[in-house]
Amino acid sequence: EKDGHDWFMRKEIFEQPSAVANSLLGRRNASGRLQLDEVRLSDEELRDIDKVIVIACGTSFYAGMVAKYAIEHWCRIPVEVELASEFRYRDPILTRETLVVAISQSGETADTLQAIRHARTQRSKVLAICNSNGSTIPRESDAVIYTHAGPEIGVASTKGFLTQLVACYLLGLYLAQVKGTRYNDEIALVMDQLEQMPAHIETVLGQSERVYELAREFVGTPSVLFLGRHAGYPVALEGALKLKELAYIHAEGFAAGELKHGPIALVDDGLPIWCVVPPRGRDQLHEKMISGIQEVRARGARTICLAEEGDTAIEPYADELIRLPKVPVLLQPLVSAVPLQLFACELATLMGHDVDMPRNLAKSVTVE
Ligand code: M6R
């Protein structure tokens, strides 16, 4: 049942190329336009949407953070991302033109469920991004995008996360198509790039031995930090969450630009820091990330960099370097999250922990 793997989690990590491919299946019609059959909202209704609020918990929340970067860029509408448990207890401003997007792998998370009920009483439209067919959250939503990852057994979300990212991209592109904020050619190009992702994820999985080697080196480390920028920031948070929940060690993710506002004081000799390096581009993200990496390295950190193929500028600052396929910054989480999952899985295994059932955690959190 685990396909020869020791853990469901590891099996699910290695299933990600096919999970992502399934998630993308059948999303374009014969003329190449995006179609999301399960989205039961009319074009009219979607055109009127003037604000998106994403609500979720844990890893699903990090997928929501990536969604904000993508949807704002493609659709030019404001996107807020909020933890479901916080959203419920404030007095959020919701109207009929607000689209509330609830992301939940299980579809049963109590906080997320209560949050959508709250949104519906304010007559906002609710769209669920969910992996579990027929679960409560999609049943109580106006629309749903199923992620089609197949059952996720390991408590730590892996293929659930990657396919949530895909669903978020699809939603962003679909809104852009309906609202006309992007040309069809551009949408088709991103779809082509998404369709190459299963092969790219496979390439990253091909380096698993190298990541396991690093895990062996870091057994016994009391703390690990993760740095990212832009869409790489939620990936840093996700890498830290995986390590906390599986290896039970202190791990924190930061936006690299925040370092100088406090966290850099944590950096000490030998502290391992994973750095999710953005692709080189017209923006300054890459340069800024390098300067952050220089800062922590100057203070003794051991940097493990995830950087795209051909990025030679990073080499002098990377104590360890894992190569990522060359992909656009918005889509990079689909490849950069994978080594972090492998690292947490392996480190926890080496420490003798039950990777599929970490202590104190449940697969779906049905208590508030
Ligand atoms: O089923 P959901 O996506 O609603 O679950 C949300 C979180 O409980 C979940 O992502 C949790 O953080 C995972 N164990 C992380 O690996």
Side-chain angles (χ1 to χ4, degrees):
E1 50 176 5
K2 293 181 200 150
D3 276 349
H5 291 285
D6 50 352
W7 305 112
F8 280 108
M9 182 192 180
R10 212 183 303 263
K11 167 176 176 262
E12 289 159 3
I13 292 174
F14 280 88
E15 276 170 0
Q16 291 181 117
S18 62
V20 165
N22 276 337
S23 231
L24 286 165
L25 214 62
R27 308 293 195 177
R28 288 206 259 194
N29 66 19
S31 60
R33 277 175 74 80
L34 240 126
Q35 55 176 29
L36 297 178
D37 297 333
E38 309 137 314
V39 174
R40 299 178 292 260
L41 296 168
S42 67
D43 286 4
E44 209 75 305
E45 286 172 303
L46 290 176
R47 244 175 256 134
D48 288 342
I49 299 295
D50 60 9
K51 182 164 91 174
V52 174
I53 304 184
V54 183
I55 47 176
C57 306
T59 291
S60 303
F61 175 75
Y62 301 145
M65 288 177 72
V66 176
K68 175 181 167 78
Y69 289 92
I71 298 174
E72 288 189 341
H73 179 67
W74 292 328
C75 312
R76 309 309 300 149
I77 42 177
V79 181
E80 293 172 21
V81 193
E82 189 157 1
L83 293 167
S85 55
E86 286 298 316
F87 174 85
R88 294 186 47 204
Y89 297 105
R90 40 175 206 110
D91 194 6
I93 299 162
L94 298 165
T95 68
R96 285 171 192 274
E97 284 74 43
T98 309
L99 179 66
V100 170
V101 178
I103 309 180
S104 174
Q105 189 284 131
S106 64
E108 301 296 345
T109 300
D111 284 320
T112 311
L113 180 59
Q114 293 305 335
I116 66 169
R117 286 181 178 158
H118 181 67
R120 294 198 75 183
T121 63
Q122 319 274 308
R123 286 179 294 186
S124 291
K125 293 176 188 69
V126 176
L127 180 145
I129 290 180
C130 184
N131 191 40
S132 177
N133 277 42
S135 55
T136 314
I137 290 171
R139 269 195 281 121
E140 294 203 15
S141 300
D142 300 297
V144 53
I145 300 177
Y146 281 112
T147 50
H148 302 300
E152 190 179 62
I153 312 282
V155 163
S157 186
T158 53
K159 62 176 182 173
F161 177 59
L162 258 53
T163 56
Q164 283 168 346
L165 292 173
V166 170
C168 291
Y169 297 134
L170 290 170
L171 173 63
L173 294 171
Y174 190 68
L175 281 174
Q177 177 178 286
V178 172
K179 284 176 166 285
T181 49
R182 294 282 158 177
Y183 292 116
N184 287 339
D185 290 1
E186 199 181 335
I187 295 170
L189 174 72
V190 183
M191 283 303 291
D192 293 344
Q193 290 166 333
L194 278 170
E195 281 160 8
Q196 290 162 17
M197 294 312 285
H200 289 323
I201 297 165
E202 203 69 72
T203 306
V204 178
L205 288 170
Q207 301 177 72
S208 55
E209 279 311 322
R210 174 88 190 85
V211 179
Y212 296 161
E213 230 172 78
L214 288 171
R216 285 195 284 278
E217 275 182 52
F218 287 110
V219 173
T221 183
S223 171
V224 181
L225 301 188
F226 296 78
L227 295 183
R229 282 191 93 102
H230 197 270
Y233 168 40
V235 173
L237 296 173
E238 168 63 3
L241 179 62
K242 283 285 155 299
L243 210 54
K244 280 182 255 203
E245 71 175 333
L246 302 174
Y248 320 146
I249 59 179
H250 170 247
E252 270 190 89
F254 296 109
E258 267 297 293
L259 270 176
K260 53 188 174 299
H261 301 289
I264 199 157
L266 288 169
V267 179
D268 207 350
D269 254 355
L271 176 74
I273 307 191
W274 280 86
C275 308
V276 184
V277 182
R280 295 154 301 168
R282 267 163 295 158
D283 45 43
Q284 294 220 307
L285 288 173
H286 182 263
E287 289 81 347
K288 293 276 177 193
M289 185 72 194
I290 291 203
S291 67
I293 296 173
Q294 281 176 287
E295 294 291 322
V296 294
R297 220 160 156 269
R299 287 160 182 82
R302 183 137 171 241
T303 57
I304 313 161
C305 296
L306 293 170
E308 70 177 4
E309 221 43 81
D311 178 353
T312 48
I314 192 70
E315 284 166 7
Y317 312 109
D319 294 303
E320 308 290 343
L321 185 54
I322 307 263
R323 288 294 184 183
L324 299 175
K326 215 170 139 34
V327 298
V329 65
L330 280 172
L331 306 188
Q332 201 196 36
L334 285 172
V335 288
S336 56
V338 176
L340 306 183
Q341 300 167 339
L342 289 166
F343 181 72
C345 180
E346 184 65 8
L347 192 63
T349 305
L350 295 168
M351 292 171 79
H353 300 323
D354 184 332
V355 167
D356 284 335
M357 295 227 283
R359 68 184 183 197
N360 310 340
L361 294 175
K363 181 65 184 161
S364 44
V365 184
T366 51
V367 290
E368 293 177 41

